[in-house]
Structure formats: structure tokens, C-alpha cells
Amino acid sequence: PLPPARSRETGHHYFAACVRAHVRHAGRLRIDPVMGLHRLFWVPRGLGPKEGVYVRYPAEELWAVVCIESHRHEARVVGENLGTVPPEIDEALPRHRIWGMYVAQFAASDPDVPPPTKAEMALVNTHDTPTFAGFWAGADFDDRVELGLLTPDQLRDEREGRERQRAALMAYLKSRGLLNDDAPGAAAVLRAWLSYLAAGNTEVLLVNLEDLWAEPV
């Protein structure tokens, strides 16, 4: 990781060069995670995560670098603002005209929440989540049990919660005329979900290729 004081001494030259190298060729650039402009978790070499610390960065200066380079090269920037994100991150995105991400898989438990009304990037899932087929079948639970992240009681609760998500999502899509079958398969639900997202106000709908051939995990 870049030492923040040293980066500032050089006018953030290295960071600017990294951004420039991408936006020279790309119309869209995703910063993953965008919270890295504010802080990074450092773990000294040879030590474990308990010995790590958060190191803060001059965020406004790094936001400025991103904005300048994206403006120069006419590239749109997307900030990956998922997970445990402090409020100042989501507040900074629109201020700098940087898109956030709407991941429908996270919103499935509350289907009455529509896609974002402003131009952003919408996805069913990300590279850090199960594929749609895996999500629909609950295949991710098996991995979490194997890793010791779920107890039997927690597994039961998680499966019941996922079933409620599935039922709520199907009901929501049916109410909008996108699903007609009372017991649709995963492919039909995915098609309806993507159709719904594509018809919304999002600027970009990103589709994972693995979902199109029903990758199971």
C-alpha cells in the first residue's frame, strides 16, 4: 500500500498514473473498494490480522485525482460502495459525480425497494457473492458451513430467510407482469429480474456471464 504522507509529497503522482492508465482506454472504471480512498487496513508483513491497523488517506485529494483524470479522458467512474461502508462514502459519491452500485441480490429481502432513480450501475450479484443459480439454490450455505461460519441453528435460520427472499422476489416480479408461472425455475426468475432492472432508470446493467449458463456456485 502507498504511504499516504509520501504519496502527498509527490502530488499523488503514482495514484494518478494508475487511474490514468485505465481511463485512457476504458469508458467505465470501477474502483473496488472506493472506501480505499479514505482508509486501508494494513497488516505488517509476518503478523496476523489482529496486529493490523486502519491507515487513513487524504480522501479529498484522492477524489480530486479521480475526478480530474476521469474528466480529462471522458470516462465514467463507479465506486464499489458495498459492505460495511461509512456514511461519508455514500455522501461523497454524488458530490463527485461518481456512481454507486445497486446489487439486487442484497435488496431481495425487501423487494418494495425499487432500483435507484439516479444513473448508477445495477447488478444482480458481484464477484464476491454467489452466482444467481447458487443464490437461488442456497449453495453458498454449504461453503459457509464447511468454513465454520454457520452453526446448525444459524444454518436453519439462513435457509428460512433465503426462502422468504425467494418468495418475496417472485411475488414482486409477478405483480409487475414479469412472471406468470406459479413455480418458475431459476432461469425464468433471472430473466424476469434482469428485465425489471433493465427497464429501470439505471444507466448500466452489468450481467455476469456465469449466470447466463447457470453456474451453480
Side-chain angles (χ1 to χ4, degrees):
L2 295 175
R6 178 58 180 156
S7 181
R8 173 180 273 174
E9 289 174 4
T10 64
H12 304 297
H13 173 78
Y14 182 84
F15 177 68
C18 289
V19 175
R20 191 180 309 124
H22 287 79
V23 295
R24 284 175 56 196
H25 306 287
R28 300 286 186 274
L29 173 68
R30 186 176 73 172
I31 299 177
D32 182 2
V34 73
M35 189 167 63
L37 299 182
H38 289 244
R39 69 185 190 188
L40 288 176
F41 191 71
W42 288 22
V43 179
R45 189 182 303 277
L47 299 181
K50 291 184 179 179
E51 287 74 37
V53 296
Y54 275 108
V55 176
R56 295 194 174 276
Y57 283 78
E60 287 304 316
E61 296 171 21
L62 299 183
W63 282 110
V65 169
V66 172
C67 291
I68 289 170
E69 295 301 332
S70 66
H71 177 74
R72 285 175 174 170
H73 298 279
E74 299 182 354
R76 170 63 71 177
V77 177
V78 179
E80 195 259 15
N81 57 332
L82 307 176
T84 307
V85 178
E88 60 263 27
I89 303 298
D90 288 330
E91 293 167 1
L93 290 173
R95 188 167 71 248
H96 297 290
R97 297 185 181 180
I98 291 177
W99 292 349
M101 294 173 62
Y102 173 90
V103 181
Q105 196 175 100
F106 295 157
S109 58
D110 189 2
D112 289 327
V113 177
T117 56
K118 57 182 180 296
E120 292 188 10
M121 177 178 284
L123 313 85
V124 166
N125 45 29
T126 77
H127 60 281
D128 290 320
T129 69
T131 61
F132 177 78
F135 166 81
W136 200 248
D140 52 308
F141 297 141
D142 297 331
D143 291 334
R144 292 163 65 188
V145 169
E146 185 177 346
L147 292 169
L149 301 176
L150 287 178
T151 66
D153 288 342
Q154 291 171 329
L155 175 61
R156 183 181 60 253
D157 292 342
E158 290 283 339
R159 289 197 184 281
E160 290 175 355
R162 183 65 56 82
E163 183 57 37
R164 289 193 295 271
Q165 283 183 295
R166 286 161 42 112
L169 177 61
M170 288 189 292
Y172 187 73
L173 294 174
K174 285 181 181 179
S175 71
R176 278 146 181 78
L178 297 170
L179 271 181
N180 299 316
D181 195 340
D182 289 335
V189 176
L190 176 62
R191 186 181 304 110
W193 211 2
L194 291 175
S195 297
Y196 171 68
L197 294 171
N201 294 320
T202 56
E203 183 73 17
V204 174
L205 172 61
L206 188 63
V207 181
N208 286 335
L209 292 179
E210 292 85 352
D211 287 342
L212 300 184
W213 61 70
E215 187 70 30
V217 292

